[in-house]
């Protein structure tokens, strides 16, 4: 059973860069059957897809966030990462990493990590 | 890429059936049979309950079923139980390896 675990700072200052890592255990991030993604949920609000990466490094981003987002993968460490630049209070959310099928269904999720943007 | 439209709330009594809609456009729901549904209890990560419109992952009760017509997908929960009270989200493949979520529906079991 694959498990995903998010890690990173819980507090980020406005205008700085939010950085999170998702470590995958119980399965290989290099599997050709899956994609790996980031999804966030502002407090009390709905889910928003941020972006997805394939083990080869191909990336796909939400157009509304594309200019500020970079997702990368390190197959040697079996983890993938999220960087979101120039954050504001509107980026405060629980950030989830997930394993996705080829057509966007997220079958496995991390527990989520709350990132607060505040000075 | 706009969020899919879901009703903010839905409710039903134990044993009844309730249906939640998810409306998109011809660029997402209407073009692909790749709509998924998720159940989220407070403070927990979402759980996949339906994928590819009407397929259930292993372990998901058959009380949960999905369908699609045109640009609208639907999730039906039959034989409502107290533990079904949760938030439900749909998502759809939207082409070019992008995904879009719905705004979520809070299901209350009366």
């Amino acid at each position: 059973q694959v498990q995903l675990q998010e890690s990173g700072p819980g507090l980020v200052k406005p205008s700085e860069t939010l950085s999170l890592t998702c470590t995958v255990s119980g399965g290989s991030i290099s599997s050709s059957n899956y994609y790996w993604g980031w999804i966030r949920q502002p407090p009390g609000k709905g889910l928003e897809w941020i972006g997805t990466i394939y083990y080869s490094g191909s990336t796909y981003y939400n157009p509304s966030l594309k200019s500020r987002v970079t997702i990368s993968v390190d197959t040697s460490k079996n983890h993938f990462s999220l960087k979101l630049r120039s954050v504001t209070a509107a980026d405060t959310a629980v950030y989830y990493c997930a394993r996705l099928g080829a057509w966007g269904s997220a079958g496995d999720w991390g527990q989520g990590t709350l990132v607060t943007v505040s000075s | 890429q706009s969020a899919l439209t879901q009703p903010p709330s839905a409710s039903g009594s134990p044993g009844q059936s309730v249906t939640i809609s998810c409306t998109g456009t011809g660029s997402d729901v209407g073009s692909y049979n790749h709509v998924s549904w998720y159940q989220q209890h407070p403070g927990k990560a979402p759980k996949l309950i339906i994928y590819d419109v009407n397929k259930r992952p292993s372990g998901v009760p058959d009380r949960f079923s999905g369908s699609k017509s045109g640009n609208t997908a639907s999730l039906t929960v039959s034989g409502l139980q107290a533990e079904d009270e949760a938030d439900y989200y749909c998502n759809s493949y939207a082409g070019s390896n992008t995904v879009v979520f719905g705004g979520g529906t809070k299901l209350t079991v009366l």
Side-chain angles (χ1 to χ4, degrees):
Chain A
Q1 178 76 1
V2 70
Q3 292 185 317
L4 300 94
Q5 178 68 57
E6 305 89 351
S7 59
L11 180 64
V12 181
K13 290 183 168 56
S15 80
E16 296 191 343
T17 296
L18 180 159
S19 296
L20 295 174
T21 294
C22 180
T23 300
V24 179
S25 59
S28 173
I29 205 168
S30 299
S31 169
S32 60
N33 296 325
Y34 298 104
Y35 291 72
W36 306 91
W38 290 97
I39 296 154
R40 70 180 182 178
Q41 185 172 35
K45 297 188 178 181
L47 300 169
E48 180 180 34
W49 173 70
I50 300 170
T52 300
I53 191 165
Y54 195 53
Y55 77 94
S56 62
S58 296
T59 51
Y60 313 92
Y61 298 131
N62 185 324
S64 67
L65 297 169
K66 186 174 184 177
S67 64
R68 298 194 292 131
V69 173
T70 300
I71 297 175
S72 59
V73 63
D74 188 332
T75 55
S76 67
K77 295 181 179 178
N78 222 40
H79 73 206
F80 61 106
S81 300
L82 168 70
K83 290 189 184 300
L84 180 64
R85 296 176 291 278
S86 304
V87 297
T88 69
D91 295 309
T92 293
V94 174
Y95 285 76
Y96 294 100
C97 59
R99 184 174 76 167
L100 290 81
W103 302 104
S105 63
D108 296 283
W109 295 68
Q111 65 184 22
T113 187
L114 175 63
V115 179
T116 301
V117 178
S118 175
S119 55
Chain B
Q1 188 186 65
S2 299
L4 306 177
T5 300
Q6 297 181 234
S9 62
S11 63
S13 299
Q16 290 187 331
S17 295
V18 64
T19 297
I20 298 170
S21 63
C22 169
T23 301
T25 69
S27 297
D28 38 61
V29 176
S31 286
Y32 305 99
N33 289 323
H34 298 299
V35 176
S36 300
W37 289 91
Y38 304 86
Q39 176 190 65
Q40 185 181 36
H41 287 109
K44 300 294 187 181
K47 173 189 174 184
L48 179 68
I49 56 173
I50 294 287
Y51 67 100
D52 288 352
V53 175
N54 56 15
K55 297 177 182 175
R56 283 186 307 276
S58 175
V60 174
D62 60 6
R63 303 186 295 102
F64 295 92
S65 62
S67 62
K68 193 189 89 166
S69 178
N71 294 341
T72 298
S74 298
L75 170 72
T76 297
V77 186
S78 304
L80 269 175
Q81 299 182 3
E83 58 262 36
D84 298 333
E85 185 161 296
D87 293 328
Y88 290 83
Y89 294 90
C90 61
N91 84 346
S92 175
Y93 184 74
S96 301
N97 284 294
T98 65
V99 170
V100 61
F101 277 93
T105 298
K106 181 177 181 59
L107 175 61
T108 300
V109 180
L110 302 171

